Amino acid sequence: MSSGATVAAARTASAVFALLTLHHEGSTELKMAAAPVREWSDEQLKSDDLPKKDIIKFIQDNAAHSFLNDHKLLGNIKNVAKTAKKEQLIIAYNQLFESKRFKGTEPVEEVTEQVKAVKIEEKPKEVKTEVVDEGPPKFTKSVLKKGDKTNFPKKGDTVSCWYTGTLEDGTVFDTNIPTAAKKKKQAKPLSFKVGMGRVIRGWDEALLTMSKGETARLEIDPEWAYGKKGVPESKIPPNAKLIFEVELVAVD
Amino acid sequence: MALEQLSDVVQRCQALPDDSYTSEDHDVFSIAGQTCIEDGNSAQVLSIILDEKNQDLVRCMGWNLLPALIKVLLRKEDKHLHHCLAILNHLLETCRPKELLIGLLEQLEQDDAVTIAESIHLLLNPLQKVLLCLGSRKASSLSMTLSSVLDQVAKLPLPQTKDQEEDDVFSLCRCCTDLIVFIRPFVHEVRQHLLNSREQSENTDKTEGKQDKENELRTELLKFCMKSLSHPLLEVQLKDPDTLLVSPLRDFATEILNTLSDIGESLASLVHQPLLKRKQLPGFLEEEVRYPKESLASLTHLVFVHHLAADTFPSVFNPVFSLRCNMEHICFLLSRMEETRIQKGLELYEKSLVRVVDGSLPAELLEIKTFLTVPQNLVKVMTICSRHDLRIKSLKVFQLNIDKFDTEAKYNFFQYMLKISGHSGVEGYIIKNIKNQIDVTLQPGNSNTWFEGAHLLPLLRKVLILPDGPETDLLQYLDRVMESLNLLRYLVIRDKVTENQTGIWTELYKIEDMFMKPLRVGLNMSRAHYEKELQNTMEAKKSKAKEEPMLSVSVGDEKLPNMTSESQIQALHSALHTFDMIESVLVRIEELIDVKENL
């Protein structure tokens, strides 16, 4: 949760900084460049062939921020197109050339306005429990034997693997590999649909990076394993980091 | 006499080829032979049976001696045991397996529990020997055998307590242990075949015919395991090692699970079966018959609650996925009437929930049918089940379930339960939960969109209302009404008028109209009514006029005695006190509102 917010804030800050830099560098160029030219005649503007979106885009690209604000042309083009009538847009378009309130004509205010604008757009529209960017992945993988590097499982594919799971202290808490001692049991590789939340997250994420035939050593942080609870019946204590050696034998 | 008859028929048949024995010969041999055995002449019968010259005869007719033989063996008279056992062994080696099988199976059917148990103990070993002689044709015979044995086992009383299991008076535990020994060679055969066929999986299938036979055998063992999971395993309460160190029933359960693994049925697949779309196997049984829901539920309970066969169950599954699968089994168990099923359902539910982190179950889960059906089943148990401990436990698990939902899921769940529970106590309990959630939300750092602001109001409107307006029966709906009042009082105290985080202050005029005013009216009406009733009853008592009541109540064929006047008066007083209690909270709320609004 907090890492997501921090990242979002960081994005905002860097965007603002970039904008400031760009603007600072670009402002003299812009002033010296020629003012934008009319693309369309009045007739063309009124024509049904010219979509509202095109006009809006032109104005947004070329008008000063305060101009856009005054004419209610700020924001997502689609949304503006919904609320603005063609007549209004034609008026705004003509006004732009009359008033010459093009981009770069109001530098200081410009920066402040744009910073504000950036901030508003960066704000997430919905508070979702799933944050896309959670930070670094909570497992590491070292390849022990290379796979065919061609057959990578996708979400929903059925994968089969042999595996051994140990705790950090070396205790083996689970395995499906038949050994001499365990010959009694029927041994089959474990099959399941990958990427569907059926197994601990560390497995779901790691297996999607493996190719058929690959054997890898995975070290999974508790957050992507059994977390605070652990699994006492399976000898997994709370907050345990789990180490698995996994061989991906088949991908369906 | 019988001995002479036996000798005669034996002599006569020595000279004949075995296909020309007449049916009269068969009958004489059978009757005479059995009579000799029962009379105690088993030594002589043994010598006849062992005689070289009589082997053809024995092969054809020997099996007819089984009924008497087994009767004597079950009597356990030391004198004759030795000879009878020798006769039995020789017959097992000499006679035709199919005929022996029929003879032995017939003897399984006994009248009383003690004899049933003894006959199972006696006959399983011979039956095993016979079946092993049948070679590749054994599957159907094994099927018959296991079916008969399990039918007989079903007649035995089940041990309920630790002591009963230890004493094993009716030998159920011994039968279970015997059964495991019985099936061992067949399991071994299937396992070997599976291992071999896996190794040969590259070769073309020349042994297809043999594979079918092996599949049949495997299917019979699967059927046996599934049946055992239902009975006796679902009926008994297994004791943990701390309670009972050596438990034959627990061992039996473990062996059944091991057997399933040995015949190639992955325990994980069986537990997850409701959620997995299994390919239709070209087999002898359809899915639902092959894997009965009750057996799978029993299996899941053994794995998750008793942790049996833990070393063969993978420890990589996501606890939420396990919960989703287990909900199907839990739903099945909790929708049954038998208390054994309900108890196991509750245990499985509790164990599955405990593994999940608090507040982590997302709202999407409520789109899955079982997540709505199971709480409804819990409500039924909470309110109707006759066992007190199960009622208490189901309430505990109900709350545990709530605690595991995330905020949005809690919100949706509360709405749903208020709509469908139909029980004032449950509604009251939900309303208390709502209050707790609001309390949590109002604490710094816990802000959410569900228990404050825009979403909270629709929920509050469903709570702060009288179900039937002023005519609401306040006694029937007491739990709900009290909790609603408590919630309202809490909100009025906790939420500052100036902050109005919960929206209660802007909503107040509506609440007054929909809830507080009708409640006032209702209280007045109820109080007036009950006061009148009280007056009438007291007058009736004084005048000693015994009015015949217009209704009577019977419970289970027993008519309950009519309420005495004293009891009636007590009840009426109690009702009036209740109205006082409701009113006191209502008045307090009105006071608080007054004070706050005038600040």
Side-chain angles (χ1 to χ4, degrees), chain A residues 174 186-187 198 200 226 233, chain B residues 198 262 307 315-318:
Chain A
D174 189 16
Q186 208 55 266
R198 295 194 175 178
I200 51 177
Y226 290 106
E233 305 86 53
Chain B
R198 198 169 294 143
D262 283 343
H307 314 302
S315 314
V316 297
F317 291 108
N318 186 331

Side-chain angles (χ1 to χ4, degrees), chain A residues 179-186, chain B residues 191 255 258 262:
Chain A
T179 59
K182 284 185 107 179
K183 257 225 178 88
K184 191 175 179 288
K185 297 283 169 286
Q186 208 55 266
Chain B
R191 203 177 72 223
E255 284 305 318
N258 287 341
D262 283 343

Side-chain angles (χ1 to χ4, degrees), chain B residues 146-349:
Chain B
L146 287 173
S147 188
S148 302
V149 174
L150 285 179
D151 283 345
Q152 295 308 307
V153 169
K155 296 180 188 165
L156 298 175
L158 298 170
Q160 298 297 338
T161 67
K162 165 187 168 215
D163 290 333
Q164 285 176 347
E165 189 176 341
E166 276 179 315
D167 296 337
D168 198 21
V169 171
F170 292 102
S171 300
L172 175 84
C173 300
R174 190 180 63 174
C175 286
C176 291
T177 313
D178 290 343
L179 270 169
I180 293 299
V181 173
F182 172 75
I183 60 169
R184 210 162 269 153
F186 310 113
V187 176
H188 182 82
E189 185 178 325
V190 171
R191 203 177 72 223
Q192 277 307 118
H193 174 77
L194 282 174
L195 281 172
N196 295 342
S197 69
R198 198 169 294 143
E199 281 165 14
Q200 292 170 14
S201 60
E202 255 85 282
N203 305 344
T204 51
D205 213 340
K206 283 185 193 144
T207 51
E208 225 175 68
K210 185 155 181 272
Q211 265 209 338
D212 280 342
K213 290 293 166 193
E214 288 305 325
N215 275 336
E216 273 182 46
L217 192 61
R218 186 176 170 279
T219 304
E220 292 311 324
L221 289 170
L222 175 62
K223 254 165 62 180
F224 167 72
C225 289
M226 289 289 134
K227 266 198 190 165
S228 302
L229 283 167
S230 267
H231 188 98
L233 287 174
L234 195 53
E235 310 283 345
V236 293
Q237 285 298 121
L238 289 186
K239 311 289 180 285
D240 285 324
D242 305 331
T243 316
L244 183 57
L245 190 57
V246 178
S247 162
L249 290 175
R250 206 172 56 229
D251 290 341
F252 179 66
T254 310
E255 284 305 318
I256 293 290
L257 296 183
N258 287 341
T259 302
L260 285 166
S261 297
D262 283 343
I263 63 172
E265 291 287 340
S266 138
L267 291 184
S269 300
L270 292 172
V271 167
H272 299 149
Q273 215 247 26
L275 250 61
L276 301 182
K277 290 204 175 84
R278 280 166 86 100
K279 293 180 275 215
Q280 278 298 337
L281 291 168
F284 302 91
L285 303 169
E286 287 172 0
E287 280 292 302
E288 282 199 9
V289 177
R290 200 176 172 89
Y291 302 108
K293 280 193 185 166
E294 184 170 271
S295 309
L296 294 184
S298 173
L299 187 149
T300 309
H301 181 268
L302 290 173
V303 170
F304 277 82
V305 176
H306 292 292
H307 314 302
L308 299 183
D311 55 345
T312 37
F313 200 85
S315 314
V316 297
F317 291 108
N318 186 331
V320 177
F321 175 65
S322 295
L323 176 65
R324 273 179 56 204
C325 294
N326 291 355
M327 285 303 264
E328 302 281 334
H329 304 297
I330 294 162
C331 190
F332 176 84
L333 291 169
L334 287 181
S335 30
R336 304 288 295 274
M337 300 311 303
E338 302 93 331
E339 284 162 4
T340 46
R341 310 290 193 267
I342 293 176
Q343 180 164 358
K344 297 203 178 193
L346 290 175
E347 288 169 354
L348 181 56
Y349 198 6

Side-chain angles (χ1 to χ4, degrees), chain A residues 19-33:
Chain A
L19 206 55
L20 281 170
T21 327
L22 177 65
H23 197 77
H24 180 72
E25 285 168 7
S27 57
T28 34
E29 274 84 40
L30 279 172
K31 272 200 184 124
M32 283 169 59

Side-chain angles (χ1 to χ4, degrees), chain A residues 72-212:
Chain A
K72 300 199 194 330
L73 294 170
L74 279 173
N76 187 302
I77 295 183
K78 258 197 246 174
N79 291 337
V80 176
K82 278 189 208 161
T83 48
K85 296 212 187 93
K86 192 91 177 279
E87 291 80 18
Q88 286 168 263
L89 294 174
I90 299 174
I91 293 171
Y93 186 81
N94 287 323
Q95 275 251 302
L96 177 61
F97 284 98
E98 273 174 35
S99 64
K100 295 204 177 32
R101 288 167 70 188
F102 299 117
K103 262 202 179 59
T105 53
E106 288 147 21
V108 175
E109 281 169 334
E110 196 92 356
V111 174
T112 341
E113 296 300 327
Q114 283 181 344
V115 166
K116 270 203 220 144
V118 166
K119 267 201 180 144
I120 291 166
E121 275 156 36
E122 286 284 324
K123 187 175 168 179
K125 296 212 167 58
E126 262 181 68
V127 181
K128 273 199 145 120
T129 40
E130 263 184 65
V131 185
V132 174
D133 205 353
E134 259 184 19
K138 300 211 189 301
F139 76 96
T140 56
K141 179 181 96 164
S142 37
V143 179
L144 302 174
K145 187 182 89 178
K146 293 187 197 162
D148 66 5
K149 297 211 179 155
T150 333
N151 288 301
F152 288 91
K154 298 185 302 295
K155 265 194 193 179
D157 286 345
T158 301
V159 296
S160 304
C161 17
W162 299 108
Y163 69 92
T164 302
T166 51
L167 303 175
E168 278 183 290
D169 67 4
T171 319
V172 175
F173 62 84
D174 189 16
T175 181
N176 69 345
I177 296 175
T179 59
K182 284 185 107 179
K183 257 225 178 88
K184 191 175 179 288
K185 297 283 169 286
Q186 208 55 266
K188 269 197 283 194
L190 178 68
S191 293
F192 62 96
K193 279 198 181 164
V194 70
M196 311 273 284
R198 295 194 175 178
V199 290
I200 51 177
R201 189 158 172 195
W203 266 51
D204 260 347
E205 302 275 349
L207 273 148
L208 291 171
T209 69
M210 293 172 67
S211 62
K212 181 169 165 181

